[in-house]
Amino acid sequence: MRIDAEGWCHGLRRIASPNCDRRLPGTEVSLLVIHNISLPPGEFGGKAIEQLFTNTLDCDTHPYYERLRGLQVSAHFLVRRDGQLIQFVSCSKRAWHAGVSEWQGRSRCNDFSLGIELEGDDDTPFTDAQYAALIRLTRRLQRHYPLRDITGHSDIAPGRKTDPGPYFDWPRFLSALQA
Ligand SMILES: [Zn+2]
C-alpha cells in the first residue's frame, strides 16, 4: 500500500466522492477518527454507503433514508465487513465525516483529521478481517502523516454521535499498532 503525492492510497479500491474540499494551507493532518456506518442501519453488504458518499443514494428506497436526503457526507476510507478497503477522498483533502466536533479544545475536526468508517453498528462485533485491514491501513497512514491522536467519532461529538460504539475493541486496535 503506497500513498501518492495527491494523498491517494494505491492497492485498494477507489470511489471518488465529491463531498470534500481543500484543507487550509499548512494544516497538519494530526488526528485519526474511527467511525461505524451501516445502511440501512444494521444491514451489511449493500451498496448504500458508497451511494451515500457519492450522492447517488435513492432516498425513496428505505424509510430510514428520508433523513439522509440532501446530506453531503464522506469519509476518507471505508472498511467493509470482509476487510475490503475503499478510499473515497484523498487524504490531502478534507472529507466531511465529523460534522460539528471538537478535539482537545480544537473545533472543526474535519480540518485536521482523517476519517475511517468501519461497516458496522453499535450492536455487532467487528470482524477479524476489519481489524486486520484497519491496522494495516492505520500503520501506513501513521508513517505518512503526523498523526498524534486516534479517537472515535463519539469522543469528538459527544451526545450527538455514538460510533464506533461499544463493540469496537480499542485495546486490540491500539496494542496492535504498538506491536
Ligand atoms: Zn461517525
Side-chain angles (χ1 to χ4, degrees):
M1 199 188 295
R2 179 177 70 82
I3 303 176
D4 68 21
E6 274 76 51
W8 290 99
C9 288
H10 292 245
L12 45 81
R13 232 178 119 201
R14 189 185 302 181
I15 302 173
S17 168
N19 302 331
C20 61
D21 55 10
R22 292 170 60 119
R23 294 189 192 274
L24 296 175
T27 305
E28 266 198 347
V29 178
S30 59
L31 179 67
L32 178 64
V33 180
I34 308 296
H35 302 256
N36 79 41
I37 188 172
S38 55
L39 290 176
E43 289 183 30
F44 307 145
K47 291 229 174 289
I49 302 169
E50 296 158 33
Q51 291 168 345
L52 176 67
F53 288 175
T54 53
N55 305 336
T56 57
L57 180 66
D58 181 352
C59 291
D60 294 326
T61 55
H62 192 281
Y64 180 83
Y65 297 164
E66 191 52 49
R67 76 194 66 188
L68 305 177
R69 204 179 284 281
L71 206 65
Q72 292 184 307
V73 291
S74 63
H76 294 91
F77 299 95
L78 171 67
V79 186
R80 305 224 65 152
R81 301 295 293 179
D82 63 359
Q84 184 192 43
L85 287 166
I86 304 172
Q87 183 171 8
F88 291 91
V89 173
S90 153
C91 296
S92 306
K93 290 200 168 177
R94 185 159 58 179
W96 300 344
H97 61 97
V100 177
S101 52
E102 183 178 308
W103 175 248
Q104 295 181 343
R106 202 171 161 197
S107 60
R108 299 168 53 98
C109 294
N110 286 345
D111 289 1
F112 55 95
S113 69
L114 296 171
I116 301 179
E117 298 274 3
L118 298 169
E119 186 181 20
D121 61 23
D122 288 4
D123 307 307
T124 313
F126 297 93
T127 68
D128 289 342
Q130 286 183 300
Y131 283 104
L134 174 65
I135 290 160
R136 186 167 150 256
L137 173 62
T138 302
R139 281 194 180 133
R140 190 69 198 82
L141 295 171
Q142 284 178 316
R143 286 203 297 272
H144 206 85
Y145 298 97
L147 296 172
R148 280 191 296 278
D149 297 300
I150 303 176
T151 191
H153 199 185
S154 54
D155 294 308
I156 60 170
R160 194 173 69 81
K161 293 291 178 180
T162 59
D163 61 311
Y167 281 95
F168 184 68
D169 191 338
W170 283 102
R172 175 179 179 172
F173 174 46
L174 296 176
S175 63
L177 294 178
Q178 277 157 11

